[in-house]
Amino acid sequence: MRCSWKSVVLLALASVAIQYTAVRTFCSDPLSLLCCGRRRAPHATPPNCSLRRLPRGPRGGPEGAGGPRGARTAAAVTSSPRHAAAAAPPSPASSPGRRTHILILATTRSGSSFVGQLFNQHPEVFYLFEPLYHVQLALLPRLGQSRNPAERRVMMGAARDLLGSLFHCGLGSLEPYIQPRPARHATDKLFRRGASRSLCSPPVCEAPLEAKEQSLVLADEGECVRRCGRLNVSVAAAACRDQRHVAIKTVRIPQVSDLRALLEDPALNLKVVQLVRDPRGILASRMETFRDSYRLWRLWRATGRRPPNLDPGQIGSVCQDFLRSVATGLAAPPWLRGRYLLLRYEDLARSPLQKARELYGFLDLVLPPAVEAWITNNTRGGGGDPASRQKFTTARDSAANAENWRLKLSWDMVVYTQTACQPVLGLLGYKATFHPRELRNLSHSLVEDRTFRPAF
């Protein structure tokens, strides 16, 4: 049988095509050694090799992805459209055993200490209270509340790096910010160590509080320091690695967009709970707590005359940060979808158990009976208990406290604040008041019934 040269060429091309298809199919097989094994050429990028083919580290992410170099490597892989779907962090619903990292994003006097305790009371959560305090103190105290964009970028860069390390239990990254610097990894200067049960319990504390004295961790945080002595940062890091989840509370991150790099890190399963409160309530609480800083506001309330040198930014910056951050969160950009929950303080104060269950559901965690009992005991008021009168305590009648700012601010101050914060009040469902009698009538709530659900 005779064949023309054209037929030979066509047969050769068909043979090459068949071999190429076979190689592609073989390389897409997860067990392929040609694709991801040692036989590939040096520096060659294997086809269809996603992060799922890499050796898994002890925390569920690719080995080496915990540090900055690993994060950059993972980011480089996911930047390719071909690899995007395979490299995207799986949702907790599809990975129930995966470690969850929780960040409570709040501002001062918004109820963040209480929300933090919802995780601090969980036996499988390693909880840190305001570790970014040390970053703020080291970089100059004024940077923490600065409204200068350049200064805020300095603070945020250091804060993001530290948070990334802390979520991977790299507590040693905190040591350079603690003053004086820990000697042999031991310090007694960690900010409010007593607010964390993890740092006041074995193995971190060799002389832990007894069960009947656990309330002292909240009522008298100094008792933890007196009983436990200096904190060994290395031991605390080991205890962190033994826990299933890590939760951190901070009031030093202005907006959720400041966390984008962490939220996009495939080595982190990070979820953000943004806690907000009526700015009028925040102002009233700060006036009582930070008396020196808010001295002019207190003078205005006492005299009825607004001081000409009053700093409107003390409450205006809160409203601007809320507006930008919440608008971003509710818009649910791809990098934030399924990782952001908006929580109003007033809703939590009125229905603490219901909101706690919703919060745990968002995080795919089980709400233990011990946490439910703690919520019940700490939201019914303290009566004659001295702890209930402390300004930083979490034990109080939460429902009665939700709108009691209406009895603490003068009418002029309320009008001034709600005018300056009008956009964010509307976004969050807080009603403006238009008459002094309406302001004082606590039977009429100024909080609209709103449901904020995370977008997936």
Side-chain angles (χ1 to χ4, degrees):
M1 178 177 178
R2 300 179 63 183
C3 297
S4 68
W5 67 270
K6 292 183 179 181
S7 299
V8 173
V9 171
L10 289 174
L11 287 173
L13 291 174
S15 175
V16 170
I18 292 171
Q19 293 181 53
Y20 175 77
T21 302
V23 171
R24 292 283 295 180
T25 303
F26 185 63
C27 282
S28 63
D29 189 325
L31 299 179
S32 172
L33 294 177
L34 288 174
C35 192
C36 297
R38 295 181 180 178
R39 279 186 265 179
R40 65 177 181 263
H43 310 299
T45 301
N48 283 340
C49 289
S50 71
L51 286 177
R52 288 180 294 184
R53 303 176 188 277
L54 299 179
R56 308 303 291 180
R59 301 187 184 95
E63 287 183 356
R69 182 177 179 181
R72 287 195 297 270
T73 303
V77 174
T78 57
S79 64
S80 170
R82 184 174 60 188
H83 300 145
S91 65
S94 62
S95 302
R98 192 180 183 196
R99 187 183 185 97
T100 301
H101 299 110
I102 306 157
L103 184 66
I104 304 164
L105 184 66
T107 189
T108 52
R109 309 311 299 169
S110 62
S112 59
S113 293
F114 178 82
V115 176
Q117 290 302 320
L118 298 181
F119 302 106
N120 188 33
Q121 300 299 319
H122 195 296
E124 295 183 335
V125 172
F126 188 88
Y127 175 68
L128 289 175
F129 182 99
E130 293 294 347
L132 298 186
Y133 165 85
H134 294 285
V135 178
Q136 175 186 330
L137 201 63
L139 296 181
L140 295 179
R142 65 186 183 88
L143 289 185
Q145 302 299 326
S146 174
R147 294 186 286 275
N148 181 289
E151 292 180 340
R152 288 180 82 157
R153 282 196 296 270
V154 172
M155 177 72 183
M156 290 308 100
R160 277 192 302 268
D161 289 346
L162 180 59
L163 285 174
S165 295
L166 294 179
F167 277 127
H168 284 304
C169 297
L171 272 67
S173 300
L174 186 59
E175 292 190 41
Y177 295 105
I178 300 176
Q179 301 300 326
R181 186 161 180 167
R184 297 182 179 179
H185 308 292
T187 181
D188 58 0
K189 299 299 182 182
L190 185 69
F191 180 61
R192 292 189 64 179
R193 170 192 179 181
S196 170
R197 290 167 61 95
S198 302
L199 300 181
C200 299
S201 307
V204 181
C205 178
E206 296 180 357
L209 299 172
E210 297 179 4
K212 64 180 180 180
E213 298 175 315
Q214 287 295 327
S215 61
L216 292 175
V217 175
L218 299 178
D220 182 8
E221 295 178 9
E223 183 67 15
C224 168
V225 177
R226 289 190 290 271
R227 289 284 190 95
C228 300
R230 292 164 66 85
L231 172 69
N232 188 304
V233 178
S234 298
V235 174
C240 173
R241 289 190 290 271
D242 287 339
Q243 294 289 69
R244 290 193 61 188
H245 313 289
V246 177
I248 297 176
K249 191 270 284 193
T250 184
V251 297
R252 290 169 171 83
I253 302 288
Q255 300 169 29
V256 70
S257 57
D258 294 318
L259 300 167
R260 179 169 179 174
L262 295 179
L263 287 159
E264 291 183 323
D265 185 350
L268 281 177
N269 178 31
L270 177 61
K271 291 202 169 187
V272 175
V273 177
Q274 178 160 18
L275 178 66
V276 297
R277 184 182 184 182
D278 191 320
R280 296 165 293 189
I282 291 175
L283 174 60
S285 183
R286 289 183 178 184
M287 287 172 56
E288 297 299 323
T289 306
F290 309 120
R291 301 174 74 90
D292 291 339
S293 301
Y294 284 77
R295 178 179 57 84
L296 294 179
W297 292 89
R298 295 172 60 82
L299 181 63
W300 182 2
R301 183 176 61 183
T303 63
R305 294 188 299 272
R306 186 179 66 172
N309 55 339
L310 182 80
D311 180 10
Q314 286 182 302
I315 191 64
S317 62
V318 172
C319 295
Q320 287 298 316
D321 287 336
F322 272 179
L323 182 62
R324 292 168 182 163
S325 188
V326 171
T328 299
L330 296 183
W335 56 271
L336 198 55
R337 198 164 296 148
R339 299 185 177 277
Y340 175 87
L341 177 68
L342 179 65
L343 177 64
R344 292 191 303 188
Y345 163 78
E346 292 80 7
D347 295 331
L348 180 64
R350 290 173 176 176
S351 306
L353 273 177
Q354 175 188 337
K355 289 300 172 182
R357 293 187 183 111
E358 292 177 6
L359 175 57
Y360 268 67
F362 163 69
L363 299 167
D364 275 351
L365 302 180
V366 177
L367 184 65
V371 177
E372 292 192 5
W374 183 91
I375 293 172
T376 301
N377 293 334
N378 283 269
T379 55
R380 295 181 303 184
D385 183 0
S388 66
R389 296 192 295 270
Q390 293 183 18
K391 61 185 179 181
F392 292 114
T393 186
T394 57
R396 61 191 62 183
D397 185 343
S398 60
N401 194 58
E403 293 188 65
N404 67 357
W405 61 265
R406 298 166 64 176
L407 304 176
K408 297 180 179 180
L409 297 180
S410 69
W411 168 248
D412 288 344
M413 296 172 69
V414 171
V415 172
Y416 177 88
T417 303
Q418 67 187 22
T419 300
C421 298
Q422 182 179 7
V424 76
L425 291 179
L427 181 64
L428 296 175
Y430 298 124
K431 303 175 185 177
T433 179
F434 301 99
H435 195 278
R437 284 198 300 270
E438 181 185 28
L439 173 66
R440 308 302 183 195
N441 181 11
L442 298 185
S443 64
H444 173 69
S445 176
L446 296 180
V447 181
E448 296 178 3
D449 290 333
R450 292 271 190 96
T451 301
F452 299 96
R453 301 191 186 280
F456 289 91

